[in-house]
Amino acid sequence: MNKRGPKPTQIELTTRQRTELERIIRKSNSKQAHVTRAKIILLADEGLGNQEIADRLESHRQTARKWRDCWIAEVGNLAVVEGDADDKALGKYVLGLLNDQPRSGTPGKFTAEQICQIVAISCESPDKYGRPVTHWTPQELADEVIKQGIVESISVRQVGRFLKRSRSQAASNTWLVEQ
């Protein structure tokens, strides 16, 4: 097998760390991403290289390298937590290490206040705003919120997404009230 680059840094798990990672793998409701990442760390502890781990898990070498590096970067903090915490707290910390980091990206175009105002208007009669329709359509609502200066511009599709999201939240809240 063609090995690239220097040998990766060895991971040496403690018994408690290994136990927590194995618990994540065995747990039926663990996210598959967490299971894969836990397996990467366990295989790295066994001395496997990134390509070998990737081959075993049918993954990418970069994925194995990324999670090995993430674990290694946290070894000091992990040791402190392990020394101070019970098994439950350690488990929570280990699971946190296996989470994705927030991704960068374009911030939302609309504020929570703007979204609330759009949804609030959609709950009122279009007649109140002089609209010649009996029910709001995404197009009518988009035109009205632009006219009122709530937003400078908004697509009909975006208005539809806001309304769909507010309907599903209202339905789930109704369900909670009925319980």
Side-chain angles (χ1 to χ4, degrees):
M1 180 187 301
N2 183 11
K3 299 193 183 211
R4 300 180 190 169
K7 185 174 179 165
T9 305
Q10 178 67 36
I11 288 179
E12 295 179 18
L13 297 174
T14 65
T15 303
R16 287 180 68 200
Q17 292 169 3
R18 175 171 282 284
T19 300
E20 287 304 322
L21 291 166
E22 289 170 345
R23 186 187 56 75
I24 291 167
I25 291 169
R26 281 191 315 271
K27 216 169 142 188
S28 63
N29 63 345
S30 289
K31 293 180 181 179
Q32 284 306 300
H34 291 159
V35 170
T36 300
R37 294 163 189 172
K39 287 179 180 179
I40 288 170
I41 302 307
L42 288 167
L43 290 171
D45 180 57
E46 291 176 16
L48 273 66
N50 294 332
Q51 187 61 56
E52 294 168 296
I53 293 170
D55 291 344
R56 269 211 201 164
L57 299 179
E58 297 180 359
S59 184
H60 296 281
R61 181 174 42 90
Q62 292 88 346
T63 302
R65 184 180 68 229
K66 172 186 176 179
W67 290 103
R68 177 192 299 265
D69 291 347
C70 285
W71 189 270
I72 290 167
E74 288 294 321
V75 164
N77 293 334
L78 191 56
V80 170
V81 170
E82 190 171 3
D84 294 342
D86 60 10
D87 288 344
K88 187 174 182 178
L90 177 63
K92 211 173 189 179
Y93 189 80
V94 167
L95 197 58
L97 291 179
L98 301 178
N99 278 332
D100 281 318
Q101 297 302 311
R103 296 180 183 205
S104 62
T106 306
K109 185 174 178 185
F110 303 100
T111 66
E113 183 179 350
Q114 289 172 316
I115 295 167
C116 287
Q117 288 175 323
I118 293 167
V119 172
I121 290 173
S122 75
C123 294
E124 297 177 355
S125 171
D127 194 33
K128 179 179 176 182
Y129 297 94
R131 295 279 169 180
V133 293
T134 57
H135 294 83
W136 286 111
T137 64
Q139 181 65 60
E140 289 284 339
L141 191 54
D143 291 345
E144 185 61 32
V145 297
I146 291 169
K147 177 181 165 188
Q148 289 191 26
I150 294 171
V151 296
E152 286 185 32
S153 66
I154 189 168
S155 71
V156 172
R157 178 120 167 85
Q158 185 64 54
V159 169
R161 282 192 287 266
F162 290 153
L163 296 179
K164 183 177 181 181
R165 189 180 321 146
S166 69
R167 275 194 306 267
S168 66
Q169 287 174 349
S172 67
N173 290 342
T174 302
W175 181 83
L176 288 172
V177 169
E178 293 171 354
Q179 294 299 313

